[in-house]
Amino acid sequence: MFYIVQAMPYKRHILVTGGAGFIGSHVVRLFTNKYDDYQIINLDKLTYAGNLANLKDIENKPNYTFVKADICDFETICRLMEEFQVDGIIHLAAESHVDRSIKDPFTFARTNVMGTLSLLQAAKLYWESKKEGYEGKRFYHISTDEVYGALELTHPEGVKSAHSTHPVYGDDFFHESTKYAPHSPYSASKASSDHFVRAFHDTYGMPTLVTNCSNNYGPYQFPEKLIPLFINNIRHRKPLPVYGKGENVRDWLYVEDHARAIDLIFHQGRIADTYNIGGFNEWKNIDLIKVIIKTVDRLLGHPEGYSSDLITYVTDRKGHDMRYAIDSSKLHEELGWEPSLQFEEGIEKTVRWYLDNQEWMDNVTSGDYQKYYEEMYLGR
Ligand code: NAD
Ligand code: TYD
């Protein structure tokens, strides 16, 4: 006897770009595990920052598919839209490191601006070709708080905050209405892509959403960014290059909290709207670095202060933005989102993860990483 097994039709077909990167891998994992009835298509070029090992635990799930492609390859994106009947896009693919953008701005304009435009245009052509048009569709663009420029450090010693147990370092925050004022080639390219996304809503009626998030931290972040770089360097007793005086302030959010916000906004966010995502968790770089050193030393069984001698003040980053601080109250008030982790818990979890996953770290730091590291940090 023969049985015809009919595949369950998926309720949604969601294309996640940049799903092999840091934040993208958390978004893909969350959606694939949470929504059995969604097909999740992870499209990634696998640049130095993309790594399929970030998704080992879900790679065999039936509702997950990986496609290696470049978002700038318009013809391929058009073909994939049809092939997978994509009805939702969560766009994370980007060049994401400020220091690299200072050295090579063209790559940032290509991927972040032209790549986003290519995705928008492919989505437009496909969705407009359907009889239901834009009905039930979503183009969700993931952006950064860096598009707003830099805030002043009006309280260098920090003052009490109504929102968090941790001090704040200035009077202003980035709001959804803050004027764009990007300074680095990275933030300029992200600002430009945000404008294109909004233009596709205003011109063609595409159902778009944009969110601007603060600095993320957590597992699977490529070790060119502050937190994983420093954890790895402490482990190997390498210098910790602190830019300038280490007084710049960043607002840190645990990556899984960002992924949860993305899930909520994708499903419930108001079309054509913008939401800021952040943890009200400002840290001066040097204070954060001291917490990392203390945590790594403790977990490795070293005496307190053992790795403090690794702190090395180096030439400041060109155009280094002084302070980022996000006001995410709109997201809290409208959709009820708030961070689930206190920073102390998040950083402990993160340090443990990197120390327990040395094989992952060794994999991503093999090959060209050494050359890059030497040029970037030792040749400054
Ligand atoms: P990441 O650098 O870790 O990952 C980027 C991913 O995009 C990689 O997998 C890479 O292979 C892929 N990619 C790059 N160019 C591509 C191309 N041309 N075609 C297809 N794939 C390509 O970045 P991340 O930190 O995970 O950031 C993801 C998104 O979130 C970015 O858009 C970034 O601007 C935004 N963001 C990041 C932060 C943060 O703190 N990391 C904060 C706010 C917003
Ligand atoms: P980074 O993780 O690159 O994120 P972003 O530049 O997008 O905020 O850097 C976080 C902060 O740490 C930023 O102020 C620059 C600083 N920094 C250092 O002092 N040394 C380093 O080696 C790196 C990578 C960053």
Side-chain angles (χ1 to χ4, degrees):
M1 191 189 294
F2 293 99
Y3 292 100
I4 298 174
V5 181
Q6 192 156 14
M8 191 181 73
Y10 288 109
K11 213 159 95 188
R12 301 211 66 158
H13 303 267
I14 300 174
L15 182 72
V16 180
T17 70
F22 167 46
I23 303 170
S25 63
H26 289 275
V27 171
V28 166
R29 176 175 298 101
L30 175 68
F31 273 70
T32 306
N33 285 331
K34 185 169 171 184
Y35 302 108
D36 279 345
D37 51 352
Y38 288 9
Q39 183 182 29
I40 306 301
I41 307 112
N42 170 15
L43 183 151
D44 199 295
K45 184 182 173 183
L46 299 182
T47 67
Y48 77 93
N51 190 345
L52 289 177
N54 298 358
L55 290 163
K56 266 259 157 290
D57 52 324
I58 56 121
E59 67 185 5
N60 293 323
K61 290 208 75 170
N63 62 335
Y64 169 74
T65 305
F66 173 71
V67 180
K68 184 170 189 253
D70 185 335
I71 52 167
C72 300
D73 180 352
F74 177 65
E75 321 273 278
T76 300
I77 305 293
C78 288
R79 181 176 55 72
L80 293 169
M81 291 295 297
E82 295 258 359
E83 188 179 324
F84 290 103
Q85 301 164 48
V86 172
D87 55 29
I89 297 179
I90 305 179
H91 175 36
L92 297 111
E95 289 291 338
S96 68
H97 189 40
V98 174
D99 291 329
R100 286 185 189 253
S101 82
I102 294 168
K103 292 206 160 205
D104 172 22
F106 279 108
T107 305
F108 283 69
R110 178 186 179 276
T111 290
N112 298 1
V113 186
M114 294 307 289
T116 301
L117 183 54
S118 146
L119 264 186
L120 283 163
Q121 183 69 2
K124 172 183 180 289
L125 292 183
Y126 176 60
W127 289 340
E128 287 186 354
S129 74
K130 311 295 287 177
K131 71 172 180 325
E132 72 280 9
Y134 287 123
E135 185 71 41
K137 311 296 193 297
R138 281 277 188 292
F139 190 107
Y140 179 2
H141 176 62
I142 308 300
S143 192
T144 164
D145 59 357
E146 304 191 24
V147 298
Y148 297 124
L151 296 166
E152 280 181 38
L153 195 71
T154 41
H155 302 294
E157 299 313 318
V159 288
K160 274 200 162 149
S161 145
H163 288 289
S164 69
T165 48
H166 202 66
V168 294
Y169 295 90
D171 297 314
D172 286 349
F173 291 87
F174 295 138
H175 304 275
E176 284 81 1
S177 57
T178 303
K179 216 171 124 214
Y180 274 31
H183 296 134
S184 72
Y186 163 64
S187 52
S189 68
K190 290 297 290 186
S192 171
S193 61
D194 296 8
H195 291 316
F196 270 108
V197 173
R198 294 193 178 104
F200 268 62
H201 170 267
D202 296 350
T203 309
Y204 309 110
M206 183 180 284
T208 59
L209 282 158
V210 178
T211 54
N212 299 82
C213 189
S214 61
N215 285 56
N216 284 213
Y217 72 98
Y220 299 112
Q221 186 169 32
F222 192 77
E224 62 183 353
K225 305 277 171 64
L226 181 75
I227 292 181
L229 175 73
F230 277 34
I231 296 171
N232 195 38
N233 282 12
I234 297 168
R235 186 178 182 126
H236 294 290
R237 288 214 42 84
K238 283 190 186 169
L240 306 176
V242 180
Y243 298 169
K245 294 185 188 153
E247 284 184 339
N248 302 66
V249 171
R250 296 292 181 265
D251 179 355
W252 294 93
L253 179 69
Y254 192 67
V255 62
E256 288 180 4
D257 281 329
H258 188 189
R260 273 194 312 108
I262 290 172
D263 176 19
L264 189 66
I265 294 163
F266 179 79
H267 290 96
Q268 294 177 37
R270 213 175 312 110
I271 293 302
D273 215 341
T274 292
Y275 298 86
N276 279 352
I277 310 173
F280 286 112
N281 180 42
E282 289 178 53
W283 284 79
K284 248 190 215 187
N285 288 344
I286 192 63
D287 294 339
L288 173 67
I289 289 161
K290 286 178 184 161
V291 172
I292 297 171
I293 292 175
K294 204 168 157 185
T295 312
V296 178
D297 279 348
R298 176 168 48 78
L299 292 177
L300 289 180
H302 297 314
E304 193 166 336
Y306 176 79
S307 301
S308 302
D309 62 325
L310 298 176
I311 291 181
T312 310
Y313 290 93
V314 299
T315 314
D316 207 353
R317 174 187 275 173
K318 289 187 177 74
H320 197 172
D321 286 339
M322 184 46 87
R323 173 174 169 255
Y324 301 146
I326 274 271
D327 180 347
S328 56
S329 20
K330 171 175 168 181
L331 179 58
H332 177 64
E333 281 155 23
E334 290 190 12
L335 299 182
W337 176 90
E338 58 187 4
S340 68
L341 280 186
Q342 288 293 314
F343 187 63
E344 288 67 19
E345 270 175 275
I347 206 74
E348 173 94 14
K349 235 174 127 161
T350 302
V351 171
R352 269 187 202 281
W353 188 87
Y354 285 101
L355 297 181
D356 290 348
N357 287 275
Q358 194 55 39
E359 199 185 326
W360 178 90
M361 186 62 91
D362 291 344
N363 267 335
V364 302
T365 53
S366 61
D368 285 343
Y369 180 83
Q370 272 323 320
K371 200 168 137 260
Y372 167 79
Y373 179 81
E374 277 158 28
E375 274 174 22
M376 189 63 86
Y377 299 106
L378 306 181
R380 293 173 74 87

